Amino acid sequence: MNEVKNFINPNALPNVQCDPLVNKDSLTCCLSDTFVQKYHIKKISKFQSGNGQEGYIIVPVYVCAKCGKELLLK
C-alpha cells in the first residue's frame, strides 16, 4: 500500500506576530514574532471539581517577549 505522507515545513509557514498596542495616547506597533510561555492559575471550587475538594487548573498562555501583551489565539 502506498502511503502519502504530508510534510509541513515550518520554515515555509508565516510567523505569528504580536498585534499593535493601542495606548490612550498613541498606536504603538510591536509586531514582534517572539513569545514566552506563562501560566494563568484558575481556582476551582469544591462544587465544580467533581471530587468535593477545591483545586487548581494551570492554563498555559503566550505573551510577547517584547511588550508583554498576551497572545489571544482564536
Side-chain angles (χ1 to χ4, degrees):
M1 175 187 288
N2 292 336
E3 270 188 46
V4 176
K5 294 184 180 182
N6 291 333
F7 177 76
I8 297 174
N9 181 358
N11 295 325
L13 299 173
N15 289 338
V16 173
Q17 292 182 316
C18 182
D19 290 332
L21 291 172
V22 179
N23 297 327
K24 64 179 181 177
D25 299 324
S26 65
L27 177 68
T28 306
C29 291
C30 177
L31 300 177
S32 174
D33 63 356
T34 305
F35 295 88
V36 178
Q37 187 175 22
K38 295 196 175 188
Y39 303 93
H40 286 295
I41 300 175
K42 304 288 186 172
K43 188 173 182 178
I44 303 172
S45 75
K46 62 183 177 182
F47 303 109
Q48 294 173 312
S49 69
N51 64 6
Q53 297 179 355
E54 290 183 345
Y56 298 93
I57 293 178
I58 298 171
V59 180
V61 294
Y62 297 94
V63 296
C64 177
K66 184 176 178 182
C67 71
K69 182 179 177 185
E70 185 176 328
L71 175 65
L72 300 176
L73 300 173
K74 298 174 186 166

